[in-house]
């Protein structure tokens, strides 16, 4: 749900869709581009796909799905989920799609972040609040630097399942099924915990309900009001470098709000007191996703109501696979995770399957390559997409291409490597004349020590002190804010270069550090 109003079970009336013909709107890039025509009025008949139904994915080969020992119990659980209310609503997903369409043409920036994998054990209000608060802080920093809307999307309220490179795990000669996320099995290394349990799907749904309820309250109940920007600092960040930088920026926001009030401009307008916030997760457990798919009564379109946005991962994006088959028929905004292994022609084909009408905001391409591969591979993908006339939002995931094993045996990521990949992402888009549309991060509001580096240096020796992740290492709040300041400066410099009166070589007096 985009948390800016009261949600109703009946999906709201769809907004008027803008025509994206080449004559009316072009991607503002430096190269000549002929966009594919897009229907000015996409009716339910236009966007329905032939031979598709919410269950048609079962005719395709499915990767990364668990094998349940009791299919009858699984079917009973899925029937129960089908009877439950939707977690999000069609109109909210359409609103997100409109915002992402702006990011595709450089008029907005996507901030997508949250846990690697949500867990049952760490489900509590404090953890939800702290992650939400860090995203709010990062949003303020990015908005101030970019001077454009920041689309805030959480990896929350459904990001449970995780793909595995190996279906089995071996420890001390004992071989057991891999841990696939709390909605499937347990992380304890014993035979009983690793058996897939359908009842965990019910618990995941209920936890998502609780998370969404709290997020809605935070987003619309005054907690997210701009007047509170100076109160959002986490205690363990407050007296450190990133906290000091944030408080300096918050004071500037407070001064601006004071000026507005003195000029007679009210600060009690809803836009100042509430924010739009959406949820997302990887589309992995197809039976669960199908069970929460609903047909919108106002448009006749199908939406996966487990989240506003879903993405297909590197291991499940086969053109003829079950996950792509499912995603092609739902109308949510979709993401595609792309590594250096992606062939440019295959990417174009995948975009054609998932977005045959070339609808703006429908597709977000999330690149995860590592800095060196980014500079080599990303230009080829951008050129292929441009040559095909496709409208996509380009986003960087600088986390997954930079996972290493520490000497102690724990997985970690280097903050410097993450920053280097983001620098490469922006450099390539500057080079290609395309738009860096957003960032996708695994991060938390907890004071963890899972990624090494940052201004408050976390070393290999520190990892064991607060290493809480159930899966992959996450940025902590201080590291997340530091990265937000670096991105904000890059966006600010891009804005200044394009502004009239800005001359190359003009001295930059900003206190914000760039990459």
């Amino acid at each position: 749900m985009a948390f800016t109003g009261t949600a109703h079970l009946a999906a709201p009336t769809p907004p008027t869709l803008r025509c994206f013909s080449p004559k009316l709107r072009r991607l503002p890039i430096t190269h000549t581009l002929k966009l594919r025509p897009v229907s000015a009025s996409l009716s339910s008949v236009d966007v329905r796909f032939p031979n598709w139904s919410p269950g048609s994915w079962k005719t395709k080969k499915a990767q990364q799905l668990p094998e349940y020992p009791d299919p009858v119990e699984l079917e009973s659980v899925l029937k129960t989920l089908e009877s439950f209310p939707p977690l999000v609503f069609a109109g909210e997903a359409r609103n997100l799609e409109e915002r992402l369409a702006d990011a595709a043409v450089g008029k907005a920036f996507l901030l997508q972040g949250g846990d690697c994998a949500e867990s049952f054990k760490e489900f509590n209000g404090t953890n939800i609040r702290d992650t939400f608060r860090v995203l709010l802080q990062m949003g303020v920093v990015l908005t101030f630097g970019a001077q454009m809307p920041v689309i805030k999307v959480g990896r929350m309220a459904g990001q449970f399942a995780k793909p595995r490179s190996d279906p089995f795990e071996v420890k001390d000669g004992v071989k057991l099924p891999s841990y696939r996320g709390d909605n499937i099995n347990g992380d304890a290394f014993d035979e009983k915990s690793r058996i897939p349990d359908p009842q965990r799907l019910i618990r995941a749904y209920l936890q998502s309900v609780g998370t969404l309820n709290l997020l809605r309250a935070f987003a619309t109940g005054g907690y997210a009001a701009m007047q509170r920007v100076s109160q959002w600092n986490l205690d363990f960040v407050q007296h450190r470098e990133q906290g000091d930088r944030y408080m300096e920026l918050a004071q500037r926001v407070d001064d601006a709000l004071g000026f507005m009030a003195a000029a007679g401009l009210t600060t009690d307008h809803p836009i100042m007191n509430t924010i739009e916030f959406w949820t997302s997760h990887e589309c992995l457990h197809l039976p669960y996703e199908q069970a929460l798919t609903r047909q919108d009564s106002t448009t006749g379109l199908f939406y996966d109501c487990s989240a506003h946005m879903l993405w297909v991962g590197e291991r499940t994006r086969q053109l003829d696979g079950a996950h792509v088959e499912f995603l092609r028929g739902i109308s949510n905004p979709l993401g595609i995770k792309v590594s250096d292994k992606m062939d440019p022609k295959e990417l174009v084909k995948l975009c054609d399957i998932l977005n045959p009408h070339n609808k703006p905001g429908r597709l977000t391409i999330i690149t995860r390559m590592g800095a060196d591969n980014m500079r080599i591979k990303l230009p080829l993908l951008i050129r292929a997409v441009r040559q095909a006339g496709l409208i996509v939002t380009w986003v960087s995931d600088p986390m997954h291409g930079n996972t290493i094993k520490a000497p102690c045996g724990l997985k970690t990521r280097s903050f410097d490597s993450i920053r280097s990949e983001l620098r490469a992402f922006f450099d390539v888009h500057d080079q290609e004349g395309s738009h860096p549309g957003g960032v996708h991060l695994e991060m938390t509001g907890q004071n963890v020590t899972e990624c090494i580096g940052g201004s408050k240096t976390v070393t290999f020796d520190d990892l064991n002190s607060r290493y809480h992740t159930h899966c992959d290492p996450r940025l902590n709040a201080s590291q997340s804010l530091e990265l937000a300041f670096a991105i904000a400066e890059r966006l600010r410099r891009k804005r200044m270069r394009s502004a009239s009166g800005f001359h190359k070589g003009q001295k930059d007096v900003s206190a914000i550090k760039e990459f």
Side-chain angles (χ1 to χ4, degrees), residues 406-473:
C408 63
L410 293 172
K411 287 194 295 184
T412 188
R413 289 157 173 162
S414 164
F415 184 84
D416 288 343
S417 297
I418 292 168
R419 187 168 53 187
S420 294
E421 180 161 349
L422 274 170
R423 182 190 299 122
F425 176 75
F426 277 91
D427 287 348
V428 168
H429 282 288
D430 282 349
Q431 164 195 315
E432 295 298 320
S434 47
H435 297 289
V439 63
H440 181 117
L441 302 172
E442 290 185 343
M443 40 77 67
T444 177
Q446 299 177 57
N447 186 18
V448 300
T449 52
E450 297 171 1
C451 292
I452 59 172
S455 58
K456 183 186 179 303
T457 306
V458 177
T459 67
F460 285 127
D461 292 336
D462 296 323
L463 291 179
N464 278 308
S465 62
R466 293 184 302 279
Y467 195 95
H468 299 157
T469 182
H470 288 266
C471 195
D472 291 333

Side-chain angles (χ1 to χ4, degrees), residues 163-177:
R164 304 281 77 179
S165 56
D166 193 319
F168 293 96
E169 184 180 353
V170 179
K171 286 185 180 180
D172 300 325
V174 179
K175 182 178 180 181
L176 292 176

Side-chain angles (χ1 to χ4, degrees), residues 14-59:
T16 303
L17 294 173
R18 296 166 291 183
C19 177
F20 249 72
S21 71
K23 293 182 179 180
L24 292 181
R25 190 171 180 183
R26 293 178 182 270
L27 287 174
I29 59 178
T30 58
H31 302 269
T32 301
L33 170 64
K34 183 177 180 181
L35 294 180
R36 296 182 183 182
V38 180
S39 172
S41 177
L42 298 179
S43 68
S44 60
V45 174
D46 290 325
V47 295
R48 285 179 180 166
F49 298 92
N51 305 316
W52 184 90
S53 70
S56 61
W57 62 268
K58 296 175 183 177
T59 65

Side-chain angles (χ1 to χ4, degrees), residues 202-249:
I202 299 290
R203 185 171 178 181
Y205 171 89
L206 295 176
Q207 180 167 320
S208 298
V209 170
T211 301
L212 285 161
N213 183 57
L214 195 56
L215 289 172
R216 181 184 291 279
F218 285 144
T220 63
Y223 184 85
M226 288 302 295
Q227 296 92 317
R228 293 178 55 90
V229 291
S230 60
Q231 302 174 37
W232 290 341
N233 247 356
L234 291 159
D235 294 339
F236 63 87
V237 174
Q238 193 166 4
H239 302 297
R240 296 174 181 171
E241 180 182 351
Q242 304 315 319
D244 292 343
R245 292 168 71 188
Y246 175 78
M247 289 305 295
E248 180 182 348
L249 186 149

